[in-house]
Amino acid sequence: MSDILVERTGALGRIRLNRPKALNALTHGMVGAIDAALDRFGADPGVAAILLTGEGARGLCAGGDLRLLYESAGPGFAEDFWRDEYRLDARIARLEKPFVAIMDGITMGGGVGLSGHARHRVVTERSRIAMPETGIGYLPDVGGTWLLPRAPGEIGTYLGLTGAQMGAADAIFAGFADALVPATALPGLVDALAALPQGAKQEAGHAAVRAAIHARAVTPEPTPLGEARALIDACFAFDRVADILAALAADGSEFATRTRTTLLEKSPSSLVLTLRLLRLGRTSARLEDCLEREFHASLALLAEGDFREGIRAAVIDKDKTPRWSPTTLDAVDLERIEAWLAPRAAPVFPVPADASRPAPASRGAR
């Protein structure tokens, strides 16, 4: 059975992630198959829209297959995988045809890369969305350092450092999704997308997709992140993790105390690196600039950071007791982290000369 199911239904090109027992975790082969499907549907004038979904009842995609990364021999596997994965994420952000991602259930890490950059992003009442990478000694990659800084206030800083999960309302509030459609209404949405008129011009096609989605959308409940925003904005406005921890300690509320405890469990190096990337991402003009930094920092974390230890503790031995190195924030080598982020002469993720549309500067532009 293929890990990617590709089919055309009426005017709809469908891409279905098909590893339900592994929560549709991404492999290198799946990345290539999705890219090939985009080639196919992009060239087919009868395809009015492209839809990404995950098979099984548990989620769209839990991220990249960490076990494969851990067990691979040498850095070449990870380098090839990340390069192709990030290029795919950038391509999705620039697609001319309407691309719809349904983030039903668990959507994390690499799953966010496939869906968070889509033009039309749907969540359900079962959605659980997160960038939990600092908990495994890693960083919010796949363009996470582009998406997170564009959330309101310091919401993205909070999400990126803590790895906190978002339900549907929070995901819309944070700019990771556009509409909440009940899970029971998804089959009707798929049918409506398959019945879209073929050959419509670009903007008319996007308008038709939006109409199909919003005809089935419901108003989300009040967002917990919105209710906590004032505290989050005050405590996460700093450019040093130590200052954020101090602000949380000074606040002393239950939320602040719980958040501070969560941060203290993460890899110190990953926290420092992630905050630096989020601040750089805030002033970046292009998604590709963020992907470039993420790519080189990811390779460094795998080679000399805490990433392998984080995978060991979470996935291999499952003892949930990672041994971070260093163990404290004040021991993190800031010069080493800056070296990981140093610009390279030849970009790995240049903007293609024939890019159909620029990646937007903000989610509101979409």
Side-chain angles (χ1 to χ4, degrees):
M1 181 69 73
S2 174
D3 291 341
I4 297 288
L5 304 178
V6 179
E7 62 187 356
R8 177 178 161 183
T9 304
L12 184 63
R14 296 205 59 182
I15 301 172
R16 294 186 285 162
L17 309 186
N18 190 38
R19 297 184 70 204
K21 292 183 179 179
L23 281 172
N24 297 319
L26 278 178
T27 66
H28 197 178
M30 292 168 71
V31 169
I34 296 170
D35 202 46
L38 295 182
D39 287 339
R40 168 184 164 183
F41 294 141
D44 187 343
V47 171
I50 303 168
L51 176 65
L52 176 72
T53 58
E55 293 295 283
R58 298 173 63 192
L60 172 64
C61 175
D65 194 317
L66 296 177
R67 183 176 290 274
L68 287 179
L69 283 173
Y70 185 88
E71 294 176 347
S72 61
F77 175 88
E79 183 171 352
D80 291 344
F81 171 64
W82 282 327
R83 179 186 293 108
D84 291 342
E85 181 187 20
Y86 295 3
R87 284 176 174 166
L88 175 61
D89 297 333
R91 181 181 186 183
I92 288 171
R94 295 179 178 278
L95 281 178
E96 180 177 354
K97 285 191 176 181
F99 185 91
V100 183
I102 296 181
M103 296 180 273
D104 185 28
I106 293 173
T107 305
M108 299 183 183
V112 173
L114 295 177
S115 57
H117 303 295
R119 188 73 175 266
H120 307 278
R121 303 162 302 168
V122 175
V123 286
T124 75
E125 71 279 6
R126 303 185 298 207
S127 294
R128 293 294 178 269
I129 300 168
M131 300 297 289
E133 288 82 4
T134 57
I136 55 170
Y138 192 44
L139 60 95
D141 67 333
V142 296
T145 64
W146 169 266
L147 292 171
L148 289 164
R150 282 154 185 80
E154 297 295 340
I155 294 296
T157 310
Y158 164 79
L159 292 170
L161 292 179
T162 65
Q165 292 187 18
M166 296 177 277
D170 280 341
I172 294 172
F173 175 72
F176 278 70
D178 304 303
L180 166 59
V181 174
T184 55
L186 292 179
L189 174 58
V190 174
D191 290 343
L193 294 174
L196 288 172
Q198 300 179 15
K201 292 185 178 180
Q202 179 180 346
E203 287 310 313
H206 287 292
V209 168
R210 284 193 295 270
I213 292 171
H214 287 287
R216 294 157 181 82
V218 299
T219 302
E221 297 291 329
T223 163
L225 280 180
E227 295 173 357
R229 180 179 169 182
L231 186 155
I232 290 172
D233 283 357
C235 293
F236 282 83
F238 302 95
D239 294 334
R240 295 196 322 140
V241 178
D243 293 335
I244 293 174
L245 290 170
L248 291 168
D251 181 275
S253 64
E254 179 183 352
F255 180 88
T257 301
R258 184 171 66 250
T259 300
R260 186 174 186 274
T261 299
T262 297
L263 289 175
L264 290 173
E265 295 171 349
K266 311 300 183 183
S267 160
S269 294
S270 291
L271 289 176
V272 172
L273 172 63
T274 294
L275 183 57
R276 180 76 175 115
L277 285 167
L278 293 175
R279 295 300 185 246
L280 290 169
R282 179 173 286 172
T283 58
S284 293
R286 311 179 314 152
L287 165 63
E288 286 83 359
D289 295 333
C290 294
L291 291 170
E292 191 80 28
R293 288 188 291 266
E294 292 168 8
F295 178 73
H296 297 294
S298 294
L299 291 174
L301 282 177
L302 184 62
E304 54 180 305
D306 282 331
F307 190 26
R308 286 185 60 82
E309 172 60 16
I311 299 175
R312 181 206 63 77
V315 178
I316 307 302
D317 297 335
K318 299 182 180 180
D319 57 28
K320 310 300 181 184
T321 55
R323 297 182 288 272
W324 305 130
S325 178
T327 59
T328 61
L329 282 170
D330 56 8
V332 174
D333 187 341
L334 300 181
E335 291 186 359
R336 182 176 68 157
I337 286 179
E338 288 300 322
W340 295 348
L341 303 177
R344 269 63 175 183
V348 180
F349 306 99
V351 177
D354 61 345
S356 58
R357 71 183 182 93
S362 69
R363 305 307 299 174
R366 293 194 143 176

